[in-house]
Amino acid sequence: MNKLWIETANLCRHYKRGSSTVKAVDGVDLQIYQGEYLAIVGSSGSGKSTILNMLAGLDTPTSGTVHVEDIDLFKMSKKEIASYRADQIGMVFQSFNLIPHHTALYNVEMALFFDNTPRTERTQKAKAMLESLGLGERLDHKPADLSGGEQQRVAVARALVKTPTVLFADEPTGNLDQKNTNQIAELLSDLNQKGLTIVIVTHDLQFAKNSADRIIRMDYGKIVEVIKNGDRNESS
Ligand SMILES: Nc1ncnc2c1ncn2[C@@H]1O[C@H](COP(=O)(O)OP(=O)(O)OP(=O)(O)O)[C@@H](O)[C@H]1O
Ligand SMILES: [Mg+2]
């Protein structure tokens, strides 16, 4: 059994709106193990992005805890959370979050700013990552001059270029055709085999079944089903 990496206890994110409360995440107990490939599925509005953002330290729970290797994430200082994110996490946002006035290449290079990678190496790594995702001809395009699927692949490149310990990816193939979806699926499975922990949100149940060790289904902010993916374990 791999080492326990992230653990949530009674994790909640409630939004008060006037007299009503939206329970976006509502009492989630979840353990994520080192090297695991976990998929989160569930209908729109079930809390998938909200939970991912809290696991990445980007959003604060209204109650409950997230522990990363026994350390309470939300008792860390802002600086400690920032370095947890910079050192360990690759994040692919549902809305990409690319910087509009920078090129594809620079958007990816930026992920390497904080770990003192020398400039030429930074450019080389970013270029190689984009090329491996089929974007070698789009390096100098700005996000507005890229298709949705191309922007999505730039966002994946940015998350992976600094070789994170854990990848949180929110619908990383939501805008891709089958060929590019398969390419991302292969890349992620390959990185997972090499030890990358992956937590992916996806609407694509087939993708989840083909790739993940475990699938959790959310509904109204709660985990309502856990599927251990025996098929994948047997074939790998
Ligand atoms: N700032 C906010 N204020 C109030 N409600 C919010 C806020 N942000 C999110 N919500 C609500 O929380 C719920 C969960 O949102 P979330 O974005 O996590 O869903 P999701 O499962 O990622 O959906 P999708 O598949 O459409 O991306 C939704 O009902 C949403 O309307
Ligand atoms: Mg979402």
Side-chain angles (χ1 to χ4, degrees), residues 2-130:
N2 280 346
K3 200 170 132 199
L4 183 61
W5 179 246
I6 297 174
E7 182 167 36
T8 77
N10 200 16
L11 188 66
C12 295
R13 180 67 168 100
H14 294 177
Y15 294 101
K16 277 211 159 46
R17 294 185 72 84
S19 57
S20 67
T21 303
V22 177
K23 296 179 175 176
V25 171
D26 193 27
V28 167
D29 296 316
L30 176 64
Q31 282 107 26
I32 300 167
Y33 293 88
Q34 216 165 43
E36 189 177 17
Y37 195 144
L38 176 73
I40 303 176
V41 300
S43 54
S44 180
S46 59
K48 306 180 299 294
S49 295
T50 309
I51 198 166
L52 209 64
N53 286 337
M54 290 192 286
L55 294 176
L58 290 163
D59 191 10
T60 311
T62 40
S63 63
T65 54
V66 176
H67 282 83
V68 180
E69 288 192 294
D70 286 338
I71 299 167
D72 188 333
L73 186 58
F74 297 100
K75 287 203 173 131
M76 289 184 189
S77 66
K78 279 201 172 128
K79 206 172 156 191
E80 285 168 328
I81 292 185
S83 77
Y84 162 62
R85 291 185 38 221
D87 299 345
Q88 306 206 33
I89 292 179
M91 183 91 188
V92 181
F93 294 91
Q94 190 166 17
S95 50
F96 316 142
N97 284 11
L98 300 175
I99 312 283
H101 55 274
H102 288 316
T103 63
L105 183 62
Y106 202 75
N107 263 282
V108 175
E109 268 193 71
M110 286 172 79
L112 299 168
F113 279 1
F114 303 103
D115 65 0
N116 299 323
T117 310
R119 191 171 166 195
T120 42
E121 192 186 328
R122 222 163 53 202
T123 310
Q124 271 169 6
K125 277 189 173 173
K127 201 170 159 212
M129 194 74 231
L130 284 163

